[in-house]
Amino acid sequence: GERIIINGGFLQRVDNVNYGHAVMYIIEIHDEENYGFVVCNTGEGINYHPATISDYPKEKRRTAIRIGNINQARLFEEGFWYLLFKLRSNFNSSHTPEQIYEVLLPYLAGVPYINSVIEEEVKEDRCGDFETLQRSGTCFYRCILT
């Protein structure tokens, strides 16, 4: 199938200080009614991605997670895209990784929490490999490498 890459992330204001974080999204097009949505993240919000302790004390996480079996109506719902792009359109204290991982991704998956969906995708080997997390200020580059 085809893939569409979309730049994303969020712009957040905390205590009158502005900062942002880059995330990359990939839409997988399997057919007209079956889509996948991949989140590539190497920094803030990575705590929602599966972790491994096999290289302790180095922390590694699956930097690309996938939600599959998304129908066309749900994926192309305007409210979803409005909220996703709003996160990176201006600085706001409500623009957080929680908005992505606790609101938008569960909506796409059709579940209240994405943990079980991600676990199933990992079992089917449809998520990324375990990777070392980014160093400060490299998110714009590191999310592409996942």
Side-chain angles (χ1 to χ4, degrees):
E2 297 180 40
R3 291 182 174 86
I4 299 170
I5 297 173
I6 301 168
N7 65 327
F10 55 90
L11 300 174
Q12 190 175 29
R13 175 175 289 136
V14 177
D15 298 328
N16 291 322
V17 175
N18 296 335
Y19 72 97
H21 179 62
V23 176
M24 184 173 68
Y25 307 114
I26 302 170
I27 298 173
E28 300 173 336
I29 305 167
H30 302 292
D31 57 48
E32 289 183 21
E33 285 298 319
N34 187 11
Y35 297 83
F37 190 85
V38 179
V39 178
C40 302
N41 186 1
T42 59
E44 192 167 355
I46 196 73
N47 53 300
Y48 291 95
H49 293 232
T52 183
I53 58 170
S54 65
D55 291 327
Y56 181 81
K58 187 177 235 180
E59 181 180 6
K60 289 191 174 186
R61 293 201 176 250
R62 290 193 188 267
T63 54
I65 57 171
R66 180 182 184 275
I67 297 172
N69 300 317
I70 304 167
N71 68 39
Q72 185 181 49
R74 188 172 290 272
L75 182 64
F76 294 138
E77 204 282 316
E78 291 176 5
F80 168 79
W81 291 103
Y82 171 78
L83 292 173
L84 189 69
F85 288 134
K86 184 180 180 201
L87 292 173
R88 65 180 186 89
S89 67
N90 62 6
F91 292 96
N92 192 298
S93 62
S94 69
H95 295 175
T96 64
E98 289 78 14
Q99 293 293 315
I100 298 168
Y101 292 97
E102 295 181 13
V103 177
L104 295 170
L105 295 183
Y107 166 78
L108 276 186
V111 297
Y113 305 101
I114 60 167
N115 296 355
S116 62
V117 173
I118 301 305
E119 286 173 14
E120 186 61 33
E121 293 289 329
V122 168
K123 285 181 192 173
E124 297 295 324
D125 198 30
R126 293 187 291 231
C127 288
D129 294 328
F130 288 105
E131 301 284 343
T132 302
L133 305 182
Q134 74 180 47
R135 297 198 194 311
S136 178
T138 60
C139 57
F140 69 96
Y141 174 70
R142 284 298 307 255
C143 69
I144 296 170
L145 298 178
T146 64

PDB file of all heavy atoms in Angstrom, residues 22-40:
ATOM      1  N   ALA A  22       8.792  18.015  17.860  1.00  0.00           N
ATOM      2  CA  ALA A  22       8.449  17.468  16.548  1.00  0.00           C
ATOM      3  C   ALA A  22       8.131  15.982  16.648  1.00  0.00           C
ATOM      4  O   ALA A  22       8.826  15.227  17.325  1.00  0.00           O
ATOM      5  CB  ALA A  22       9.593  17.689  15.568  1.00  0.00           C
ATOM      6  N   VAL A  23       7.080  15.596  15.969  1.00  0.00           N
ATOM      7  CA  VAL A  23       6.645  14.210  15.848  1.00  0.00           C
ATOM      8  C   VAL A  23       6.302  14.003  14.374  1.00  0.00           C
ATOM      9  O   VAL A  23       5.854  14.929  13.707  1.00  0.00           O
ATOM     10  CB  VAL A  23       5.406  13.937  16.731  1.00  0.00           C
ATOM     11  CG1 VAL A  23       4.885  12.532  16.553  1.00  0.00           C
ATOM     12  CG2 VAL A  23       5.720  14.205  18.195  1.00  0.00           C
ATOM     13  N   MET A  24       6.507  12.804  13.863  1.00  0.00           N
ATOM     14  CA  MET A  24       6.132  12.510  12.485  1.00  0.00           C
ATOM     15  C   MET A  24       5.010  11.475  12.484  1.00  0.00           C
ATOM     16  O   MET A  24       5.032  10.527  13.269  1.00  0.00           O
ATOM     17  CB  MET A  24       7.340  11.966  11.710  1.00  0.00           C
ATOM     18  CG  MET A  24       7.060  11.726  10.246  1.00  0.00           C
ATOM     19  SD  MET A  24       8.544  11.277   9.317  1.00  0.00           S
ATOM     20  CE  MET A  24       8.909   9.666   9.989  1.00  0.00           C
ATOM     21  N   TYR A  25       4.039  11.687  11.615  1.00  0.00           N
ATOM     22  CA  TYR A  25       2.924  10.758  11.459  1.00  0.00           C
ATOM     23  C   TYR A  25       2.999  10.135  10.071  1.00  0.00           C
ATOM     24  O   TYR A  25       3.371  10.791   9.106  1.00  0.00           O
ATOM     25  CB  TYR A  25       1.582  11.471  11.613  1.00  0.00           C
ATOM     26  CG  TYR A  25       1.454  12.264  12.883  1.00  0.00           C
ATOM     27  CD1 TYR A  25       1.357  13.647  12.854  1.00  0.00           C
ATOM     28  CD2 TYR A  25       1.449  11.633  14.124  1.00  0.00           C
ATOM     29  CE1 TYR A  25       1.243  14.383  14.015  1.00  0.00           C
ATOM     30  CE2 TYR A  25       1.342  12.362  15.291  1.00  0.00           C
ATOM     31  CZ  TYR A  25       1.232  13.739  15.236  1.00  0.00           C
ATOM     32  OH  TYR A  25       1.127  14.462  16.393  1.00  0.00           O
ATOM     33  N   ILE A  26       2.622   8.877   9.984  1.00  0.00           N
ATOM     34  CA  ILE A  26       2.566   8.187   8.702  1.00  0.00           C
ATOM     35  C   ILE A  26       1.182   7.557   8.577  1.00  0.00           C
ATOM     36  O   ILE A  26       0.752   6.823   9.467  1.00  0.00           O
ATOM     37  CB  ILE A  26       3.643   7.093   8.584  1.00  0.00           C
ATOM     38  CG1 ILE A  26       5.036   7.703   8.768  1.00  0.00           C
ATOM     39  CG2 ILE A  26       3.528   6.360   7.244  1.00  0.00           C
ATOM     40  CD1 ILE A  26       6.145   6.676   8.903  1.00  0.00           C
ATOM     41  N   ILE A  27       0.514   7.855   7.492  1.00  0.00           N
ATOM     42  CA  ILE A  27      -0.760   7.196   7.191  1.00  0.00           C
ATOM     43  C   ILE A  27      -0.458   6.071   6.213  1.00  0.00           C
ATOM     44  O   ILE A  27       0.161   6.294   5.173  1.00  0.00           O
ATOM     45  CB  ILE A  27      -1.771   8.171   6.561  1.00  0.00           C
ATOM     46  CG1 ILE A  27      -2.095   9.294   7.538  1.00  0.00           C
ATOM     47  CG2 ILE A  27      -3.048   7.431   6.151  1.00  0.00           C
ATOM     48  CD1 ILE A  27      -2.950  10.380   6.937  1.00  0.00           C
ATOM     49  N   GLU A  28      -0.880   4.876   6.559  1.00  0.00           N
ATOM     50  CA  GLU A  28      -0.725   3.721   5.677  1.00  0.00           C
ATOM     51  C   GLU A  28      -2.067   3.463   4.998  1.00  0.00           C
ATOM     52  O   GLU A  28      -3.082   3.317   5.674  1.00  0.00           O
ATOM     53  CB  GLU A  28      -0.320   2.486   6.468  1.00  0.00           C
ATOM     54  CG  GLU A  28       0.984   2.630   7.208  1.00  0.00           C
ATOM     55  CD  GLU A  28       1.260   1.444   8.108  1.00  0.00           C
ATOM     56  OE1 GLU A  28       0.309   0.739   8.514  1.00  0.00           O
ATOM     57  OE2 GLU A  28       2.442   1.224   8.413  1.00  0.00           O
ATOM     58  N   ILE A  29      -2.046   3.414   3.688  1.00  0.00           N
ATOM     59  CA  ILE A  29      -3.272   3.173   2.933  1.00  0.00           C
ATOM     60  C   ILE A  29      -3.229   1.738   2.426  1.00  0.00           C
ATOM     61  O   ILE A  29      -2.430   1.397   1.551  1.00  0.00           O
ATOM     62  CB  ILE A  29      -3.390   4.152   1.743  1.00  0.00           C
ATOM     63  CG1 ILE A  29      -3.280   5.589   2.240  1.00  0.00           C
ATOM     64  CG2 ILE A  29      -4.695   3.912   0.982  1.00  0.00           C
ATOM     65  CD1 ILE A  29      -3.082   6.607   1.141  1.00  0.00           C
ATOM     66  N   HIS A  30      -4.101   0.902   3.000  1.00  0.00           N
ATOM     67  CA  HIS A  30      -4.147  -0.499   2.589  1.00  0.00           C
ATOM     68  C   HIS A  30      -5.168  -0.695   1.472  1.00  0.00           C
ATOM     69  O   HIS A  30      -4.913  -1.406   0.514  1.00  0.00           O
ATOM     70  CB  HIS A  30      -4.449  -1.392   3.782  1.00  0.00           C
ATOM     71  CG  HIS A  30      -3.430  -1.225   4.879  1.00  0.00           C
ATOM     72  ND1 HIS A  30      -2.131  -1.630   4.745  1.00  0.00           N
ATOM     73  CD2 HIS A  30      -3.511  -0.659   6.093  1.00  0.00           C
ATOM     74  CE1 HIS A  30      -1.448  -1.334   5.847  1.00  0.00           C
ATOM     75  NE2 HIS A  30      -2.266  -0.740   6.678  1.00  0.00           N
ATOM     76  N   ASP A  31      -6.330  -0.110   1.629  1.00  0.00           N
ATOM     77  CA  ASP A  31      -7.362  -0.060   0.595  1.00  0.00           C
ATOM     78  C   ASP A  31      -8.315   1.068   0.974  1.00  0.00           C
ATOM     79  O   ASP A  31      -8.038   1.814   1.912  1.00  0.00           O
ATOM     80  CB  ASP A  31      -8.090  -1.407   0.443  1.00  0.00           C
ATOM     81  CG  ASP A  31      -8.722  -1.900   1.730  1.00  0.00           C
ATOM     82  OD1 ASP A  31      -9.427  -1.115   2.408  1.00  0.00           O
ATOM     83  OD2 ASP A  31      -8.529  -3.078   2.068  1.00  0.00           O
ATOM     84  N   GLU A  32      -9.424   1.219   0.274  1.00  0.00           N
ATOM     85  CA  GLU A  32     -10.316   2.364   0.504  1.00  0.00           C
ATOM     86  C   GLU A  32     -10.945   2.393   1.893  1.00  0.00           C
ATOM     87  O   GLU A  32     -11.414   3.427   2.340  1.00  0.00           O
ATOM     88  CB  GLU A  32     -11.412   2.397  -0.555  1.00  0.00           C
ATOM     89  CG  GLU A  32     -10.904   2.783  -1.921  1.00  0.00           C
ATOM     90  CD  GLU A  32     -12.019   2.886  -2.936  1.00  0.00           C
ATOM     91  OE1 GLU A  32     -13.187   3.052  -2.551  1.00  0.00           O
ATOM     92  OE2 GLU A  32     -11.698   2.796  -4.134  1.00  0.00           O
ATOM     93  N   GLU A  33     -10.978   1.271   2.571  1.00  0.00           N
ATOM     94  CA  GLU A  33     -11.634   1.211   3.880  1.00  0.00           C
ATOM     95  C   GLU A  33     -10.722   0.797   5.023  1.00  0.00           C
ATOM     96  O   GLU A  33     -11.181   0.636   6.150  1.00  0.00           O
ATOM     97  CB  GLU A  33     -12.834   0.260   3.827  1.00  0.00           C
ATOM     98  CG  GLU A  33     -14.025   0.835   3.125  1.00  0.00           C
ATOM     99  CD  GLU A  33     -14.577   2.096   3.817  1.00  0.00           C
ATOM    100  OE1 GLU A  33     -14.648   2.135   5.056  1.00  0.00           O
ATOM    101  OE2 GLU A  33     -14.906   3.044   3.089  1.00  0.00           O
ATOM    102  N   ASN A  34      -9.439   0.595   4.771  1.00  0.00           N
ATOM    103  CA  ASN A  34      -8.550   0.092   5.812  1.00  0.00           C
ATOM    104  C   ASN A  34      -7.249   0.892   5.809  1.00  0.00           C
ATOM    105  O   ASN A  34      -6.506   0.878   4.828  1.00  0.00           O
ATOM    106  CB  ASN A  34      -8.261  -1.391   5.581  1.00  0.00           C
ATOM    107  CG  ASN A  34      -7.496  -2.009   6.716  1.00  0.00           C
ATOM    108  OD1 ASN A  34      -7.328  -1.425   7.783  1.00  0.00           O
ATOM    109  ND2 ASN A  34      -6.993  -3.209   6.491  1.00  0.00           N
ATOM    110  N   TYR A  35      -7.004   1.574   6.940  1.00  0.00           N
ATOM    111  CA  TYR A  35      -5.848   2.452   7.067  1.00  0.00           C
ATOM    112  C   TYR A  35      -5.080   2.131   8.340  1.00  0.00           C
ATOM    113  O   TYR A  35      -5.622   1.559   9.286  1.00  0.00           O
ATOM    114  CB  TYR A  35      -6.287   3.920   7.116  1.00  0.00           C
ATOM    115  CG  TYR A  35      -6.977   4.381   5.860  1.00  0.00           C
ATOM    116  CD1 TYR A  35      -8.326   4.143   5.657  1.00  0.00           C
ATOM    117  CD2 TYR A  35      -6.273   5.051   4.875  1.00  0.00           C
ATOM    118  CE1 TYR A  35      -8.961   4.557   4.495  1.00  0.00           C
ATOM    119  CE2 TYR A  35      -6.895   5.481   3.710  1.00  0.00           C
ATOM    120  CZ  TYR A  35      -8.243   5.226   3.533  1.00  0.00           C
ATOM    121  OH  TYR A  35      -8.864   5.636   2.386  1.00  0.00           O
ATOM    122  N   GLY A  36      -3.832   2.552   8.363  1.00  0.00           N
ATOM    123  CA  GLY A  36      -3.012   2.497   9.565  1.00  0.00           C
ATOM    124  C   GLY A  36      -2.486   3.896   9.852  1.00  0.00           C
ATOM    125  O   GLY A  36      -2.363   4.725   8.950  1.00  0.00           O
ATOM    126  N   PHE A  37      -2.181   4.167  11.122  1.00  0.00           N
ATOM    127  CA  PHE A  37      -1.655   5.464  11.533  1.00  0.00           C
ATOM    128  C   PHE A  37      -0.462   5.202  12.433  1.00  0.00           C
ATOM    129  O   PHE A  37      -0.582   4.525  13.453  1.00  0.00           O
ATOM    130  CB  PHE A  37      -2.729   6.261  12.281  1.00  0.00           C
ATOM    131  CG  PHE A  37      -2.373   7.695  12.530  1.00  0.00           C
ATOM    132  CD1 PHE A  37      -2.598   8.660  11.567  1.00  0.00           C
ATOM    133  CD2 PHE A  37      -1.817   8.085  13.734  1.00  0.00           C
ATOM    134  CE1 PHE A  37      -2.286   9.990  11.788  1.00  0.00           C
ATOM    135  CE2 PHE A  37      -1.493   9.412  13.980  1.00  0.00           C
ATOM    136  CZ  PHE A  37      -1.732  10.368  13.003  1.00  0.00           C
ATOM    137  N   VAL A  38       0.704   5.718  12.044  1.00  0.00           N
ATOM    138  CA  VAL A  38       1.949   5.486  12.776  1.00  0.00           C
ATOM    139  C   VAL A  38       2.417   6.801  13.385  1.00  0.00           C
ATOM    140  O   VAL A  38       2.380   7.841  12.729  1.00  0.00           O
ATOM    141  CB  VAL A  38       3.049   4.929  11.844  1.00  0.00           C
ATOM    142  CG1 VAL A  38       4.352   4.700  12.606  1.00  0.00           C
ATOM    143  CG2 VAL A  38       2.575   3.652  11.162  1.00  0.00           C
ATOM    144  N   VAL A  39       2.834   6.743  14.652  1.00  0.00           N
ATOM    145  CA  VAL A  39       3.401   7.903  15.337  1.00  0.00           C
ATOM    146  C   VAL A  39       4.884   7.627  15.551  1.00  0.00           C
ATOM    147  O   VAL A  39       5.244   6.640  16.195  1.00  0.00           O
ATOM    148  CB  VAL A  39       2.718   8.158  16.697  1.00  0.00           C
ATOM    149  CG1 VAL A  39       3.364   9.335  17.416  1.00  0.00           C
ATOM    150  CG2 VAL A  39       1.228   8.376  16.521  1.00  0.00           C
ATOM    151  N   CYS A  40       5.739   8.492  14.998  1.00  0.00           N
ATOM    152  CA  CYS A  40       7.190   8.388  15.172  1.00  0.00           C
ATOM    153  C   CYS A  40       7.620   9.489  16.125  1.00  0.00           C
ATOM    154  O   CYS A  40       7.518  10.672  15.805  1.00  0.00           O
ATOM    155  CB  CYS A  40       7.898   8.542  13.837  1.00  0.00           C
ATOM    156  SG  CYS A  40       7.393   7.327  12.602  1.00  0.00           S
TER     157      CYS A  40
END
